[in-house]
Amino acid sequence: MTPSRLRILDVPAVGAALDEALGATTGTAERRAAAVRVLGVANGEARAAIAAEVAARPREAYRAIHDYAWLTDQIVTLTLDAAARWMHPLANPTRSERIAALAVGGYGRAEMAPFSDVDLLFVTPYKQTPWGESLIETVLYCLWDLRLKVGHSARTVDDCLRLARGDTSIRTSLLEHRFVWGAEPLAERLDERLWTELFEGTGPEFVELKLAERATRHERQGSTRYLLEPNVKDGKGGLRDLQTLFWIGKYLTRARGPEDLMRKGFFTADEFTIFSEAAAFLWTTRVHLHLLCGRAIEQLTFDMQVEISAALGYRSTRGQRAVERFMQDYFTHAKAVGDLTRIFLSALEAQHVKPRPGLGRTLRNVLTLRRDRTAAGYRLKHGRLDVADPEAFLADPVNILRLFQEGLSTGTLIHPDALRLVAANLALIDDRLRNDPEANRIFLELLLGHGNPERALRLMNEVGVLGAFIPEFGRIVAMMQFNMYHHYTVDEHIIRTISTLSQIEQGDLIGDLPVSTEILARGVNRRVLYVALLLHDIAKGSGRDHSELGGEIALRLAPRFGLDADETEMVAWLVRNHLLMSDTAQKRDLAEPRTVRDFAQIVKSPNRLKLLTVLTVCDIRGVGPNVWNNWKAMLLRTLYAETLEYLTGGSQSQSRPEREAAAKSALAEALEGWGEDEIRTECARHYAPYWLGFDTRTHAIFADLVRRLPEGEPAIDIELDFGRDATQACFAMSDHPGIFARLAGALALAGANVVDARTYTSTDGIATAAFWIQDAQGAPYERARLARLRHSVGRTLRGEVVAREALKSRDRIKKREKDFVVPTRVHFDNTASDIYTLIEVETRDRPGLLYDLARTLTANSISIASAIIATYGKQAVDVFYVKDLFGLKLHAEGKRDTLEARLRAVIDQADGQTS
């Protein structure tokens, strides 16, 4: 791809142009300005030529890193030549008036992204001279005027060694120094003294320093390679990790290039190929990222992921968007970097270069003393499990699974050499092994038999065993879901859900998950639960409904794992319905009797309910940090409890009049200090849905609000609802059309996210509306913020602020989120409630969405009884329980079609705005 260097920059021609321009001017400042003009044009044209080559061959963009480094060499050299000849000429330089310009860091390695820093080291023989200071100053000003980001230092050789001894960053940058211009003997002397006086004999120290630096960097970047918007340069599995391996290898062996890591025995030829392919992919991504952003941006943001995937020619398939296929490749290479790091560190340890940490050494010694009698076929190497006889080990492929079983059952870490052996022989995992009863028995025992299987599963996945043993799983390895809801790749999500299940079993999460902990403590079929979690998302990206296809896959795989017919059918049912409980709890009104009844008719038995509850909890908690909260916990606990009562003939089987009477009786007990007449009036004020829609605490709040309702103004009560992890806002006011929309707009303007809402009108025309809200971080409002929230809501309700106008600026789509495809879907359901029509709207989330939808429904004479709001990243699902103007369901198809068109229109109008 790389054009001839002459096509990038005709160095002799530029040099001649410089001489001509500088010869025609006098004075340092004028000549510097003339040099910048000539070099600016040349540099701009050269960079355009490299960018054109990248555009012409986008998948070979990694080659451009050497072109950018070469171009930088020429610009720096031309600048230094011009400064030394025209601006600071020196007829008879003394021994002190010599300078060597060296490239260091990434520039020294001759690998530069389009907007990488230019790190220069000016080496002088003795203390800096006035001539040297003037020359360096002129050169730096020229380079800065050319808009290059230059980092520089001027030091003697002694200074370099002294500073490098105490600073790892300086030592690393000097490790990759490269002579560019000037007195080359100075550069040679620095090189010789670095190796003889500093690098030699300090290898173990440097290794420990770089590994500690790597760990700190990973912690700063997020400690996982599966971040939604990874940092290509510094993130886990990124370029810096590969460079760290080379730095260590070079420090220890004077390797000249990454290929020397293979020659020195750190990698096999196949492993070095993986190294090279990962480096090429990551550099290609980084080059495109810089060019698209026009500056040094290292984070692969959502909008850049879309643009780079398009530039690289990725195409969407039936089951995956182009950007998801690109990111799957990205995470596959990031995972490969992790594998290479493990192999590399093993080689260091074998060469006694990487000392074992004190705590690790102690633990390994303890393990060694405990396990003098290792299982047949294994040995301990540095306190870790290794294969005693590789040839005998590979003679029986089942041993591959036995290795992970032995490591998990004994709590012994598996040595990287054993993992390396397995990774090099994955071809042994064929259909014969996949269908081997002993191999499948061992695999099921890995899941069930030795505490938390997370470590074994993650290691099997990283080495490639999991995907080879279960090819359906291999297809989802490193698969990204392009949304802001799923924080991990599909395979990582599955492993985390299984880990969560194990933690619940061991009682580690009893505080957060008391119901699930109790279900498991009382006993359920563990085989079914673990296998269902392993398979619940295995059909993602297929183009079909992943729940249905996953159920079909479960019918094939569960018997292979050793499950009987009943267990297999239960696993398949759980996989097919693994979203049912979550969707019901988060998208339906649990106070509506039909909700629990319909859900129970699908679940059918308490045993299924218990298994589905635990699976749902694990699934949600495995989505990402902060996705699980008390609000979701409350919804699931409520649905579980009421469904269990229904299935076992409890209070859910009571008639509506019985439940209404019970609610009134509970309120009467709660209203302390109220007279009997007052209580009787309050109980007669409300219709049946009110009593079934709120709990006793909320009934009491509204009773107090109505009792002290001011003339012509709303009564407001806003307080924390800790049980729901939300803030409850209750409003009582005279009823009029559009109340729900007006309240939704007031809350949206206050920055509140509504998660649940319902409103009822009393027999005497008073509207009672309750909203459960959270702040922008998905948490309840702190007490200190409640007064401000009340004031903001009050201003809007008094008409001091017009919600529609004020919300326009907040509803603009952010640029980095514009490529999230969130199709709009409007669905009407007349069967999910006995008295209401359900309108379910799925679309892109934004602050004013609920207000706009409610306003549109009101404008079309639709009365809103309640609204349930669920968000999944950038997707919102707003469900309204409604009636028409006459209190009836929306049966007329023409009216529903008109209403859908108007709802879509208000959504499309807002979605057209981008910030």
Side-chain angles (χ1 to χ4, degrees):
M1 181 205 78
T2 307
S4 69
R5 293 287 160 80
L6 185 63
R7 286 179 57 195
I8 296 176
L9 185 72
D10 187 339
V11 179
V14 176
L18 263 179
D19 287 341
E20 182 180 349
L22 298 181
T25 58
T26 58
T28 301
E30 291 77 8
R31 284 178 168 169
R32 193 177 78 199
V36 168
R37 283 194 295 273
V38 173
L39 291 174
V41 172
N43 185 49
E45 291 176 349
R47 288 180 172 273
I50 298 174
E53 289 293 334
V54 169
R57 297 173 178 82
R59 291 203 176 227
E60 297 179 32
Y62 61 91
R63 299 182 186 277
I65 63 177
H66 305 300
D67 291 336
Y68 283 114
W70 178 85
L71 172 61
T72 304
D73 280 352
Q74 309 317 307
I75 296 297
V76 169
T77 300
L78 286 165
T79 304
L80 280 160
D81 283 341
R85 180 181 177 186
W86 291 100
M87 289 171 261
H88 304 285
L90 202 59
N92 297 300
T94 65
R95 285 175 56 84
S96 300
E97 292 171 325
R98 292 178 298 146
I99 289 180
L102 279 66
V104 293
Y107 176 34
R109 197 170 53 248
E111 294 180 342
M112 297 183 75
F115 295 95
S116 289
D117 294 355
V118 179
D119 292 323
L120 288 170
L121 170 63
F122 296 98
V123 181
T124 61
Y126 311 110
K127 185 179 178 181
Q128 184 62 278
T129 65
W131 171 82
E133 289 180 351
S134 298
L135 178 75
I136 292 171
E137 181 181 273
T138 295
V139 168
L140 291 175
Y141 274 116
C142 284
L143 296 177
W144 288 331
D145 288 345
L146 290 170
R147 302 192 180 281
L148 297 178
K149 189 177 179 183
V150 182
H152 69 284
S153 57
R155 296 170 183 148
T156 65
V157 174
D158 286 340
D159 289 339
C160 290
L161 268 69
R162 176 175 53 81
L163 293 169
R165 285 191 182 96
D167 190 309
T168 309
S169 296
I170 293 175
R171 195 186 306 190
T172 305
S173 67
L174 287 173
L175 182 64
E176 298 195 292
H177 68 270
R178 179 171 57 84
F179 174 73
V180 175
W181 179 92
E184 192 165 5
L186 280 176
E188 292 170 348
R189 188 192 313 167
L190 173 64
D191 185 71
E192 179 184 356
R193 290 188 62 189
L194 281 171
W195 285 105
T196 58
E197 298 179 29
L198 179 59
F199 296 163
E200 284 186 10
T202 60
E205 174 198 1
F206 183 76
V207 171
E208 291 301 302
L209 288 170
K210 294 313 292 183
L211 293 181
E213 182 183 273
R214 171 180 170 270
T216 301
R217 173 167 44 81
H218 286 173
E219 186 176 354
R220 188 170 60 248
Q221 291 294 328
S223 297
T224 176
R225 65 178 63 97
Y226 298 116
L227 291 173
L228 289 174
E229 296 179 299
N231 187 302
V232 181
K233 178 183 176 184
D234 291 323
K236 191 171 186 179
L239 280 167
R240 186 65 82 214
D241 280 359
L242 282 178
Q243 290 160 0
T244 298
L245 300 185
F246 175 63
W247 289 333
I248 292 174
K250 181 171 184 175
Y251 199 100
L252 298 173
T253 66
R254 298 191 76 159
R256 294 189 175 185
E259 62 279 356
D260 285 342
L261 299 180
M262 176 180 62
R263 300 191 188 104
K264 302 289 184 180
F266 290 108
F267 297 131
T268 65
D270 288 343
E271 289 161 354
F272 178 68
T273 298
I274 294 171
F275 182 104
S276 301
E277 290 175 350
F281 184 91
L282 293 170
W283 270 118
T284 292
T285 301
R286 190 180 179 207
V287 167
H288 282 288
L289 186 58
H290 277 216
L291 290 174
L292 286 167
C293 293
R295 55 197 176 104
I297 294 294
E298 311 299 350
Q299 188 176 24
L300 194 53
T301 55
F302 294 123
D303 53 328
M304 289 297 103
Q305 291 171 20
V306 173
E307 293 198 39
I308 293 174
S309 66
L312 294 178
Y314 282 86
R315 296 290 180 266
S316 297
T317 62
R318 183 183 174 194
Q320 277 186 289
R321 291 183 61 187
V323 64
E324 291 173 331
R325 296 182 64 209
F326 163 62
M327 290 307 294
Q328 184 168 17
D329 283 351
Y330 179 93
F331 288 125
T332 298
H333 285 295
K335 172 180 166 294
V337 173
D339 298 340
L340 292 170
T341 300
R342 184 181 59 248
I343 291 166
F344 185 83
L345 297 183
S346 170
L348 290 182
E349 200 169 84
Q351 296 177 21
H352 308 289
V353 175
K354 176 182 174 289
R356 295 184 295 281
L359 177 60
R361 186 186 306 114
T362 302
L363 290 175
R364 291 185 187 113
N365 288 340
V366 171
L367 289 169
T368 303
L369 289 171
R370 265 190 200 163
R371 298 194 64 257
D372 288 336
R373 296 184 299 276
T374 56
Y378 303 107
R379 62 178 178 138
L380 283 180
K381 184 176 181 180
H382 301 313
R384 286 178 286 185
L385 193 66
D386 195 13
V387 173
D389 183 344
E391 188 174 339
F393 177 85
L394 296 175
D396 182 3
V398 178
N399 284 330
I400 293 175
L401 290 163
R402 291 190 181 110
L403 171 67
F404 294 96
Q405 180 191 37
E406 179 72 8
L408 188 61
S409 64
T410 62
T412 310
L413 297 176
I414 298 175
H415 196 279
D417 285 352
L419 298 174
R420 191 179 196 177
L421 178 68
V422 169
N425 291 277
L426 289 177
L428 295 175
I429 304 177
D430 54 14
D431 285 340
R432 183 176 176 181
L433 180 66
R434 294 183 193 108
N435 293 303
D436 185 289
E438 176 65 6
N440 283 281
R441 183 196 67 76
I442 293 170
F443 178 73
L444 195 60
E445 187 179 324
L446 275 167
L447 274 181
L448 300 166
H450 306 289
N452 196 332
E454 177 183 8
R455 178 166 55 86
L457 290 175
R458 179 163 281 113
L459 205 53
M460 291 170 72
N461 190 36
E462 289 181 357
V463 176
V465 170
L466 206 51
F469 190 65
I470 310 172
E472 296 89 345
F473 191 93
R475 196 183 56 77
I476 59 166
V477 169
M479 180 182 287
M480 176 225 192
Q481 299 169 83
F482 191 69
N483 55 50
M484 292 184 73
Y485 180 63
H486 292 92
H487 290 245
Y488 306 113
T489 55
V490 180
D491 55 326
E492 176 72 7
H493 163 71
I494 287 175
I495 291 172
R496 285 175 181 262
T497 64
I498 292 172
S499 177
T500 299
L501 175 57
S502 179
Q503 292 174 62
I504 298 172
E505 268 197 303
Q506 294 166 28
D508 295 341
L509 300 175
I510 189 170
D512 289 343
L513 307 173
V515 174
S516 295
T517 302
E518 182 183 5
I519 289 172
L520 293 181
R522 289 178 176 271
V524 292
N525 191 319
R526 299 175 65 244
R527 290 153 57 96
V528 165
L529 256 181
Y530 275 94
V531 173
L533 278 173
L534 178 70
L535 304 180
H536 77 281
D537 274 348
I538 204 164
K540 280 279 180 79
S542 63
R544 285 183 55 189
D545 182 326
H546 80 281
S547 299
E548 287 299 324
L549 181 56
E552 296 171 16
I553 293 172
L555 291 174
R556 294 199 311 269
L557 289 180
R560 198 193 103 183
F561 295 151
L563 274 63
D564 63 29
D566 289 342
E567 291 174 322
T568 297
E569 181 53 44
M570 183 64 81
V571 169
W573 184 87
L574 286 170
V575 173
R576 281 196 303 270
N577 293 281
H578 73 271
L579 297 175
L580 172 65
M581 191 170 192
S582 175
D583 283 349
T584 303
Q586 295 185 72
K587 301 179 185 178
R588 292 294 180 264
D589 186 350
L590 299 184
E592 164 63 48
R594 185 70 176 265
T595 298
V596 172
R597 187 163 73 243
D598 289 351
F599 176 70
Q601 287 172 356
I602 298 173
V603 174
K604 287 186 167 53
S605 74
N607 184 46
R608 275 186 175 181
L609 174 65
K610 292 172 183 177
L611 291 168
L612 183 59
T613 299
V614 176
L615 183 144
T616 302
V617 168
C618 294
D619 190 15
I620 295 174
R621 285 182 72 99
V623 168
N626 304 318
V627 172
W628 177 264
N629 55 32
N630 286 343
W631 178 258
K632 292 184 176 71
M634 179 276 301
L635 293 175
L636 290 173
R637 280 198 301 267
T638 301
L639 180 57
Y640 170 76
E642 295 195 4
T643 305
L644 186 61
E645 286 189 6
Y646 184 92
L647 291 170
T648 56
S651 64
Q652 265 293 328
S653 58
Q654 291 179 328
S655 67
R656 289 172 67 95
E658 289 173 329
R659 294 175 64 197
E660 181 182 343
K664 291 178 179 179
S665 176
L667 175 62
E669 292 183 17
L671 294 179
E672 296 181 3
W674 283 50
E676 290 185 9
D677 289 344
E678 286 182 300
I679 292 175
R680 200 165 22 252
T681 300
E682 176 62 24
C683 289
R685 174 176 280 127
H686 304 286
Y687 295 106
Y690 172 87
W691 297 107
L692 302 181
F694 293 133
D695 59 13
T696 302
R697 172 181 161 278
T698 307
H699 287 149
I701 290 173
F702 277 122
D704 182 63
L705 290 178
V706 173
R707 192 185 195 189
R708 56 183 175 85
L709 184 66
E711 184 70 29
E713 286 190 27
I716 304 174
D717 180 273
I718 301 178
E719 58 186 72
L720 300 180
D721 188 341
F722 289 105
R724 298 191 176 201
D725 205 32
T727 297
Q728 186 183 38
C730 294
F731 304 90
M733 65 188 78
S734 297
D735 189 27
H736 58 80
I739 273 186
F740 189 96
R742 189 175 164 201
L743 292 172
L747 290 168
L749 274 179
N753 293 322
V754 178
V755 291
D756 193 359
R758 60 198 68 223
T759 180
Y760 303 103
T761 302
S762 66
T763 58
D764 52 353
I766 297 174
T768 52
F771 288 75
W772 284 266
I773 58 177
Q774 294 175 332
D775 63 16
Q777 284 69 48
Y781 280 81
E782 299 172 359
R783 289 193 182 278
R785 300 170 62 193
L786 293 183
R788 184 176 179 183
L789 179 64
R790 289 190 192 94
H791 175 71
S792 177
V793 170
R795 287 188 65 213
T796 306
L797 293 180
R798 291 191 295 271
E800 297 173 19
V801 181
V802 179
R804 186 187 309 177
E805 296 302 318
L807 283 170
K808 281 183 179 179
S809 62
R810 302 189 190 186
D811 278 340
R812 296 183 184 277
I813 300 171
K814 296 177 182 176
K815 182 184 176 184
R816 63 184 284 269
E817 299 171 1
K818 67 181 175 60
D819 292 301
F820 287 115
V821 177
V822 185
T824 295
R825 188 181 73 88
V826 180
H827 174 68
F828 294 84
D829 186 347
N830 278 317
T831 65
S833 171
D834 292 330
I835 57 177
Y836 298 109
T837 292
L838 265 70
I839 303 177
E840 182 172 312
V841 181
E842 293 182 18
T843 191
R844 181 189 293 273
D845 191 24
R846 54 183 173 81
L849 176 63
L850 178 62
Y851 169 69
D852 280 346
L853 296 177
R855 183 166 51 85
T856 302
L857 292 174
T858 300
N860 285 272
S861 302
I862 302 298
S863 173
I864 301 170
S866 62
I868 310 298
I869 293 87
T871 55
Y872 306 88
K874 283 288 108 182
Q875 181 193 44
V877 181
D878 289 9
V879 181
F880 299 91
Y881 285 69
V882 305
K883 294 179 179 179
D884 67 12
L885 191 61
F886 304 103
L888 302 174
K889 290 186 178 183
L890 310 184
H891 290 293
E893 185 175 351
K895 184 174 181 63
R896 294 199 302 266
D897 289 345
T898 299
L899 190 56
E900 177 177 350
R902 290 174 180 173
L903 289 170
R904 287 182 178 275
V906 75
I907 291 169
D908 293 342
Q909 181 180 5
D911 281 356
Q913 305 176 70
T914 304
S915 61

